[in-house]
Amino acid sequence: MKEQKFSTAIRSNMDLILKEQISLSEKIDYTQVATFIPYIYSADRLFLTAAGRSGLALKAAAMRLMHFGLKVFVVGEITTPAIGPGDLLIVASGSGTTASILTTAEKGIKAGATVLAFSTTLAAPLAKLASHTIILPAAQKEDHGKSISVQYAGSLFEQGLWLLTDAIFQTMWEEKPVPAEELWKRHANLE
C-alpha cells in the first residue's frame, strides 16, 4: 500500500521538478550563456570548482569537456596543476557568496587566469570578481520562502547548472561534430 503512495508522490515530484526546470529555462538569457563557448575555446586550460551539489554538477561538466579533448582540471584534486595566464577558472555559487569559491576566484585572478561564474545574481561578490557571470535565475540555498522554487535548498540551481552545462557541451559538439566513438576513447577505462 505504501509503495503505491510513494509511487504517486515520486511521479508528482518528478513532474514538479521538470516544470520548474522548464520555467527556469524560459528565464535564462541564452545570449549571455553563449559567451561561455568562446571563453572555453580561447583558454589554454580549464579549471572548474564549486561546493556541494553545485560542485558535482561542475565535475560532470568537466568530464564532458574532457571528452571533447580539452585540458580540464577539477580544483582540489591532487593532480590539478597551478593555474596561470591563459587559463579559465569556471566557478559556481548560487548565492555568489560561498567563501571557498570567492577565495579560489581571487587566487585565480591573482595568478592571471580569467574567471567565469555561474550564479543566481549579479549583485553578489562572485559576480563582481568574474570576467563574466552567467545567471541562472533560481532560488538560493537559503531561500526558504518557496517563491522561486518549492524544492529544498538550492536544488533548482544545482539541477539547472547540470542541465545548462550539458546544453553548452551539446552545442559545442554540434558545432564541431566529433564522432561519439572518438569522444568515447577519452572516457575512463579503469573503472
Short mmCIF file of all heavy atoms in Angstrom, two decimals, residues 43-82:
data_model
loop_
_atom_site.label_atom_id
_atom_site.label_comp_id
_atom_site.label_asym_id
_atom_site.label_seq_id
_atom_site.Cartn_x
_atom_site.Cartn_y
_atom_site.Cartn_z
N ALA A 43 40.76 29.43 -24.08
CA ALA A 43 41.57 29.11 -22.89
C ALA A 43 42.60 28.02 -23.19
O ALA A 43 42.33 27.10 -23.96
CB ALA A 43 40.66 28.65 -21.75
N ASP A 44 43.75 28.16 -22.56
CA ASP A 44 44.76 27.10 -22.65
C ASP A 44 44.29 25.86 -21.89
O ASP A 44 44.39 24.74 -22.39
CB ASP A 44 46.10 27.58 -22.06
CG ASP A 44 46.72 28.72 -22.86
OD1 ASP A 44 46.44 28.81 -24.07
OD2 ASP A 44 47.46 29.51 -22.26
N ARG A 45 43.80 26.10 -20.67
CA ARG A 45 43.33 25.01 -19.82
C ARG A 45 42.11 25.49 -19.06
O ARG A 45 41.93 26.69 -18.83
CB ARG A 45 44.42 24.58 -18.83
CG ARG A 45 45.69 24.09 -19.50
CD ARG A 45 46.80 23.80 -18.51
NE ARG A 45 47.12 24.98 -17.71
CZ ARG A 45 47.92 24.97 -16.65
NH1 ARG A 45 48.47 23.83 -16.25
NH2 ARG A 45 48.17 26.06 -15.97
N LEU A 46 41.28 24.53 -18.66
CA LEU A 46 40.07 24.83 -17.91
C LEU A 46 40.17 24.25 -16.50
O LEU A 46 40.58 23.10 -16.33
CB LEU A 46 38.85 24.22 -18.61
CG LEU A 46 38.66 24.57 -20.08
CD1 LEU A 46 37.53 23.74 -20.68
CD2 LEU A 46 38.41 26.04 -20.26
N PHE A 47 39.79 25.05 -15.53
CA PHE A 47 39.76 24.64 -14.12
C PHE A 47 38.34 24.89 -13.63
O PHE A 47 37.81 25.98 -13.83
CB PHE A 47 40.75 25.45 -13.29
CG PHE A 47 42.19 25.21 -13.64
CD1 PHE A 47 42.75 25.74 -14.79
CD2 PHE A 47 43.00 24.46 -12.80
CE1 PHE A 47 44.08 25.53 -15.12
CE2 PHE A 47 44.34 24.24 -13.11
CZ PHE A 47 44.88 24.77 -14.27
N LEU A 48 37.72 23.90 -13.01
CA LEU A 48 36.34 24.03 -12.55
C LEU A 48 36.23 23.75 -11.06
O LEU A 48 36.89 22.83 -10.55
CB LEU A 48 35.44 23.05 -13.31
CG LEU A 48 35.19 23.37 -14.78
CD1 LEU A 48 36.30 22.83 -15.65
CD2 LEU A 48 33.87 22.81 -15.24
N THR A 49 35.37 24.55 -10.39
CA THR A 49 35.14 24.31 -8.97
C THR A 49 33.82 24.92 -8.51
O THR A 49 33.37 25.93 -9.03
CB THR A 49 36.28 24.85 -8.09
OG1 THR A 49 36.13 24.34 -6.76
CG2 THR A 49 36.33 26.36 -8.05
N ALA A 50 33.24 24.27 -7.56
CA ALA A 50 32.06 24.73 -6.83
C ALA A 50 31.96 23.86 -5.59
O ALA A 50 32.64 22.84 -5.48
CB ALA A 50 30.80 24.60 -7.69
N ALA A 51 31.11 24.26 -4.68
CA ALA A 51 30.95 23.49 -3.44
C ALA A 51 29.68 22.65 -3.50
O ALA A 51 28.75 22.95 -4.25
CB ALA A 51 30.90 24.45 -2.25
N GLY A 52 29.65 21.59 -2.72
CA GLY A 52 28.45 20.77 -2.56
C GLY A 52 27.93 20.20 -3.86
O GLY A 52 28.69 19.75 -4.72
N ARG A 53 26.61 20.23 -4.02
CA ARG A 53 25.98 19.65 -5.21
C ARG A 53 26.32 20.45 -6.47
O ARG A 53 26.39 19.89 -7.56
CB ARG A 53 24.47 19.56 -5.00
CG ARG A 53 24.09 18.46 -4.02
CD ARG A 53 22.63 18.48 -3.61
NE ARG A 53 21.69 18.88 -4.61
CZ ARG A 53 20.71 18.11 -5.09
NH1 ARG A 53 20.55 16.88 -4.64
NH2 ARG A 53 19.87 18.58 -5.98
N SER A 54 26.55 21.75 -6.34
CA SER A 54 27.00 22.53 -7.49
C SER A 54 28.36 22.01 -7.96
O SER A 54 28.65 21.98 -9.15
CB SER A 54 27.11 24.02 -7.13
OG SER A 54 25.85 24.53 -6.78
N GLY A 55 29.18 21.60 -7.00
CA GLY A 55 30.47 21.01 -7.33
C GLY A 55 30.33 19.73 -8.12
O GLY A 55 31.09 19.47 -9.06
N LEU A 56 29.34 18.92 -7.76
CA LEU A 56 29.09 17.69 -8.51
C LEU A 56 28.67 18.01 -9.94
O LEU A 56 29.09 17.35 -10.88
CB LEU A 56 28.02 16.84 -7.81
CG LEU A 56 28.41 16.31 -6.43
CD1 LEU A 56 27.21 15.63 -5.78
CD2 LEU A 56 29.59 15.37 -6.51
N ALA A 57 27.83 19.04 -10.10
CA ALA A 57 27.40 19.44 -11.44
C ALA A 57 28.58 19.90 -12.28
O ALA A 57 28.69 19.55 -13.47
CB ALA A 57 26.34 20.53 -11.35
N LEU A 58 29.50 20.67 -11.68
CA LEU A 58 30.66 21.12 -12.44
C LEU A 58 31.66 20.00 -12.70
O LEU A 58 32.36 20.02 -13.71
CB LEU A 58 31.34 22.31 -11.76
CG LEU A 58 30.66 23.66 -11.97
CD1 LEU A 58 31.56 24.81 -11.51
CD2 LEU A 58 30.24 23.89 -13.41
N LYS A 59 31.71 19.01 -11.83
CA LYS A 59 32.55 17.85 -12.12
C LYS A 59 32.00 17.10 -13.33
O LYS A 59 32.76 16.61 -14.18
CB LYS A 59 32.64 16.91 -10.91
CG LYS A 59 33.58 17.40 -9.84
CD LYS A 59 33.70 16.40 -8.70
CE LYS A 59 34.71 16.89 -7.67
NZ LYS A 59 34.93 15.91 -6.61
N ALA A 60 30.68 17.02 -13.44
CA ALA A 60 30.06 16.40 -14.61
C ALA A 60 30.40 17.20 -15.86
O ALA A 60 30.71 16.63 -16.92
CB ALA A 60 28.55 16.30 -14.42
N ALA A 61 30.37 18.52 -15.75
CA ALA A 61 30.74 19.38 -16.89
C ALA A 61 32.21 19.18 -17.26
O ALA A 61 32.55 19.11 -18.45
CB ALA A 61 30.47 20.84 -16.55
N ALA A 62 33.07 19.06 -16.25
CA ALA A 62 34.50 18.84 -16.51
C ALA A 62 34.70 17.56 -17.30
O ALA A 62 35.51 17.49 -18.23
CB ALA A 62 35.27 18.80 -15.19
N MET A 63 33.95 16.52 -16.95
CA MET A 63 34.07 15.25 -17.66
C MET A 63 33.69 15.40 -19.12
O MET A 63 34.40 14.92 -20.00
CB MET A 63 33.19 14.20 -16.99
CG MET A 63 33.28 12.83 -17.63
SD MET A 63 32.16 11.71 -16.77
CE MET A 63 32.85 10.16 -17.29
N ARG A 64 32.59 16.09 -19.40
CA ARG A 64 32.17 16.27 -20.79
C ARG A 64 33.19 17.11 -21.57
O ARG A 64 33.49 16.82 -22.72
CB ARG A 64 30.79 16.93 -20.85
CG ARG A 64 29.68 15.99 -20.47
CD ARG A 64 29.54 14.86 -21.49
NE ARG A 64 28.46 13.96 -21.12
CZ ARG A 64 28.64 12.74 -20.68
NH1 ARG A 64 29.84 12.24 -20.51
NH2 ARG A 64 27.60 11.99 -20.38
N LEU A 65 33.72 18.14 -20.95
CA LEU A 65 34.71 18.97 -21.64
C LEU A 65 35.99 18.18 -21.90
O LEU A 65 36.63 18.34 -22.94
CB LEU A 65 34.99 20.23 -20.81
CG LEU A 65 33.81 21.20 -20.70
CD1 LEU A 65 34.08 22.25 -19.64
CD2 LEU A 65 33.47 21.82 -22.05
N MET A 66 36.34 17.29 -20.98
CA MET A 66 37.48 16.39 -21.20
C MET A 66 37.21 15.46 -22.36
O MET A 66 38.07 15.22 -23.20
CB MET A 66 37.77 15.61 -19.92
CG MET A 66 38.87 14.55 -20.02
SD MET A 66 38.35 12.94 -20.68
CE MET A 66 37.14 12.42 -19.49
N HIS A 67 35.99 14.93 -22.45
CA HIS A 67 35.62 14.07 -23.58
C HIS A 67 35.81 14.81 -24.90
O HIS A 67 36.14 14.20 -25.91
CB HIS A 67 34.16 13.62 -23.47
CG HIS A 67 33.94 12.53 -22.48
ND1 HIS A 67 32.74 12.37 -21.82
CD2 HIS A 67 34.75 11.56 -22.01
CE1 HIS A 67 32.83 11.33 -21.01
NE2 HIS A 67 34.04 10.83 -21.11
N PHE A 68 35.60 16.12 -24.86
CA PHE A 68 35.74 16.94 -26.06
C PHE A 68 37.21 17.16 -26.44
O PHE A 68 37.51 17.72 -27.48
CB PHE A 68 35.02 18.27 -25.85
CG PHE A 68 34.56 18.91 -27.11
CD1 PHE A 68 33.63 18.31 -27.93
CD2 PHE A 68 35.05 20.14 -27.48
CE1 PHE A 68 33.20 18.90 -29.10
CE2 PHE A 68 34.62 20.76 -28.65
CZ PHE A 68 33.70 20.13 -29.46
N GLY A 69 38.11 16.73 -25.57
CA GLY A 69 39.53 16.82 -25.88
C GLY A 69 40.22 18.03 -25.28
O GLY A 69 41.37 18.32 -25.62
N LEU A 70 39.54 18.74 -24.41
CA LEU A 70 40.14 19.92 -23.80
C LEU A 70 40.93 19.53 -22.55
O LEU A 70 40.70 18.49 -21.96
CB LEU A 70 39.03 20.91 -23.42
CG LEU A 70 38.15 21.35 -24.60
CD1 LEU A 70 36.96 22.15 -24.11
CD2 LEU A 70 38.96 22.16 -25.60
N LYS A 71 41.88 20.39 -22.19
CA LYS A 71 42.66 20.17 -20.97
C LYS A 71 41.85 20.71 -19.79
O LYS A 71 41.69 21.91 -19.65
CB LYS A 71 44.00 20.89 -21.06
CG LYS A 71 44.94 20.32 -22.09
CD LYS A 71 46.24 21.09 -22.11
CE LYS A 71 47.12 20.57 -23.24
NZ LYS A 71 48.31 21.41 -23.40
N VAL A 72 41.35 19.79 -18.98
CA VAL A 72 40.39 20.13 -17.93
C VAL A 72 40.88 19.59 -16.59
O VAL A 72 41.34 18.46 -16.50
CB VAL A 72 39.00 19.53 -18.24
CG1 VAL A 72 38.00 19.95 -17.18
CG2 VAL A 72 38.53 19.95 -19.62
N PHE A 73 40.73 20.44 -15.56
CA PHE A 73 41.12 20.04 -14.21
C PHE A 73 40.03 20.44 -13.23
O PHE A 73 39.40 21.48 -13.39
CB PHE A 73 42.44 20.72 -13.81
CG PHE A 73 43.56 20.40 -14.75
CD1 PHE A 73 43.87 21.26 -15.79
CD2 PHE A 73 44.29 19.23 -14.60
CE1 PHE A 73 44.90 20.96 -16.68
CE2 PHE A 73 45.33 18.93 -15.48
CZ PHE A 73 45.63 19.79 -16.51
N VAL A 74 39.83 19.63 -12.21
CA VAL A 74 38.90 19.94 -11.13
C VAL A 74 39.74 20.45 -9.96
O VAL A 74 40.65 19.76 -9.49
CB VAL A 74 38.07 18.70 -10.73
CG1 VAL A 74 37.22 18.99 -9.50
CG2 VAL A 74 37.21 18.24 -11.89
N VAL A 75 39.44 21.67 -9.54
CA VAL A 75 40.18 22.28 -8.44
C VAL A 75 40.07 21.41 -7.19
O VAL A 75 38.99 20.91 -6.87
CB VAL A 75 39.65 23.70 -8.16
CG1 VAL A 75 40.31 24.31 -6.92
CG2 VAL A 75 39.86 24.60 -9.38
N GLY A 76 41.19 21.20 -6.52
CA GLY A 76 41.21 20.42 -5.29
C GLY A 76 41.67 18.99 -5.48
O GLY A 76 42.02 18.33 -4.51
N GLU A 77 41.66 18.51 -6.73
CA GLU A 77 42.17 17.16 -6.97
C GLU A 77 43.70 17.20 -6.87
O GLU A 77 44.33 18.19 -7.22
CB GLU A 77 41.74 16.66 -8.36
CG GLU A 77 40.23 16.53 -8.52
CD GLU A 77 39.63 15.46 -7.63
OE1 GLU A 77 40.29 14.43 -7.38
OE2 GLU A 77 38.49 15.67 -7.16
N ILE A 78 44.28 16.13 -6.42
CA ILE A 78 45.71 16.11 -6.13
C ILE A 78 46.59 16.31 -7.37
O ILE A 78 47.71 16.80 -7.27
CB ILE A 78 46.10 14.82 -5.37
CG1 ILE A 78 47.45 15.00 -4.71
CG2 ILE A 78 46.05 13.61 -6.27
CD1 ILE A 78 47.68 14.07 -3.55
N THR A 79 46.08 15.99 -8.55
CA THR A 79 46.86 16.14 -9.78
C THR A 79 46.58 17.45 -10.52
O THR A 79 47.10 17.66 -11.61
CB THR A 79 46.58 14.97 -10.74
OG1 THR A 79 45.17 14.93 -11.01
CG2 THR A 79 47.06 13.65 -10.15
N THR A 80 45.79 18.34 -9.93
CA THR A 80 45.49 19.62 -10.57
C THR A 80 46.71 20.52 -10.48
O THR A 80 47.21 20.80 -9.39
CB THR A 80 44.27 20.29 -9.90
OG1 THR A 80 43.16 19.40 -10.04
CG2 THR A 80 43.95 21.62 -10.55
N PRO A 81 47.20 21.00 -11.64
CA PRO A 81 48.39 21.86 -11.64
C PRO A 81 48.07 23.29 -11.24
O PRO A 81 46.90 23.64 -11.02
CB PRO A 81 48.84 21.80 -13.11
CG PRO A 81 47.58 21.61 -13.88
CD PRO A 81 46.71 20.74 -13.01
N ALA A 82 49.10 24.10 -11.19
CA ALA A 82 48.93 25.53 -10.89
C ALA A 82 48.21 26.20 -12.06
O ALA A 82 48.42 25.86 -13.22
CB ALA A 82 50.29 26.17 -10.67
#
